[in-house]
């Protein structure tokens, strides 16, 4: 069973709430039965605006620019993690908005996220993102909303201070 969900929100604007859902057979019927399709309804003017946006010549340029910016931010974050924290990154993704930092067994990821927030940097405990019990504690580090790579480096520096204070 495959259900594919897409959205324009992250590549355009948080207020452009346009998405698409693709499914077949029983999965689609269940989604219809629980009214997911109806709650995803988007007004016609917003649909037409989105269509004009993704059909414009500037759309491809926007996606390339966004990809380049995200790659630079991802690389800056990975480099800063290697310099500031004695912890392994599980993987460096080719795309996306986050890096996953594996924490040593027994680490309280929630306490670390709270300490990081007190130090002025927001990170997310990883446990809620696993469909079952997490294999180890993790932090999800986002580079999407950072203003620039210097902000990312400063955030990881603050996370490193929080980590050292808890260790």
């Amino acid at each position: 069973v495959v259900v594919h969900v897409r959205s324009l929100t992250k590549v355009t604007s948080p207020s452009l709430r346009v998405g698409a859902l693709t499914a077949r057979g029983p999965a689609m019927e269940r989604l219809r039965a629980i009214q997911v399709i109806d709650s995803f309804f988007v007004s016609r003017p917003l649909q037409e605006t989105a269509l004009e946006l993704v059909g414009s010549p500037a759309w491809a340029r926007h996606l390339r620019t966004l990809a380049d910016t995200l790659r630079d931010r991802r690389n800056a974050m990975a480099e800063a993690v290697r310099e500031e924290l004695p912890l392994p990154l599980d993987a460096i993704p080719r795309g996306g908005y986050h890096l996953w930092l594996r924490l040593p067994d027994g680490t309280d990821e929630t306490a670390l996220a709270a300490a990081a927030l007190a130090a002025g940097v927001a990170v997310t405990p990883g446990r809620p993102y696993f469909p079952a019990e997490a294999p180890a504690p993790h932090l999800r580090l986002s580079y999407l909303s950072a203003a620039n790579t210097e902000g990312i480096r400063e955030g990881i520096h603050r996370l490193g201070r929080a980590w050292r204070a808890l260790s």
Side-chain angles (χ1 to χ4, degrees), residues 65-83 89-100 141-153 156:
T65 301
L66 179 61
D68 291 345
T69 300
L70 290 174
R71 184 178 48 253
D72 292 346
R73 291 176 183 188
R74 178 206 58 209
N75 292 344
M77 182 175 275
E79 181 180 317
V81 166
R82 287 185 195 107
E83 292 172 1
L89 290 168
D90 278 353
I92 308 296
R94 289 185 49 211
Y97 312 111
H98 316 287
L99 291 181
W100 286 88
L141 311 176
S142 177
Y143 48 85
L144 175 64
S145 60
N148 53 45
T149 57
E150 288 309 311
I152 290 170
R153 288 185 182 95
I156 297 300

Side-chain angles (χ1 to χ4, degrees), residues 1 9-10 19 24 31 36 47 66 68 70 84 86 93 96 98 100 105 109 131 133 136 138 140 153:
V1 174
T9 301
K10 288 186 179 175
R24 291 186 184 156
L31 290 168
V36 168
Q47 289 181 47
L66 179 61
D68 291 345
L70 290 174
E84 295 282 343
H98 316 287
W100 286 88
D105 290 340
E109 62 188 26
E133 188 61 34
H138 285 79
R140 187 180 82 154
R153 288 185 182 95

Side-chain angles (χ1 to χ4, degrees), residues 8 12 16 46-63:
L8 290 177
T12 57
L16 186 58
L46 190 54
Q47 289 181 47
E48 289 177 6
T49 300
L51 183 59
E52 189 170 322
L53 173 67
V54 300
S56 76
W59 181 246
R61 184 175 63 244
H62 168 72
L63 292 178

Side-chain angles (χ1 to χ4, degrees), residues 12-49:
T12 57
S13 162
S15 59
L16 186 58
R17 308 295 279 170
V18 176
L21 182 130
T22 306
R24 291 186 184 156
M28 182 60 133
E29 294 311 313
R30 283 194 300 275
L31 290 168
R32 276 196 182 120
I34 60 171
Q35 298 181 337
V36 168
I37 308 299
D38 294 339
S39 63
F40 277 149
F41 177 75
V42 176
S43 68
R44 184 176 176 108
L46 190 54
Q47 289 181 47
E48 289 177 6
T49 300

Side-chain angles (χ1 to χ4, degrees), residues 84-87 103-104 106-108 111-112 115 159-167:
E84 295 282 343
L85 294 160
L87 303 170
L103 304 172
T107 301
D108 184 341
L112 180 54
L159 176 60
R161 270 199 324 242
W163 167 256
R164 289 185 291 279
L166 285 179
S167 297

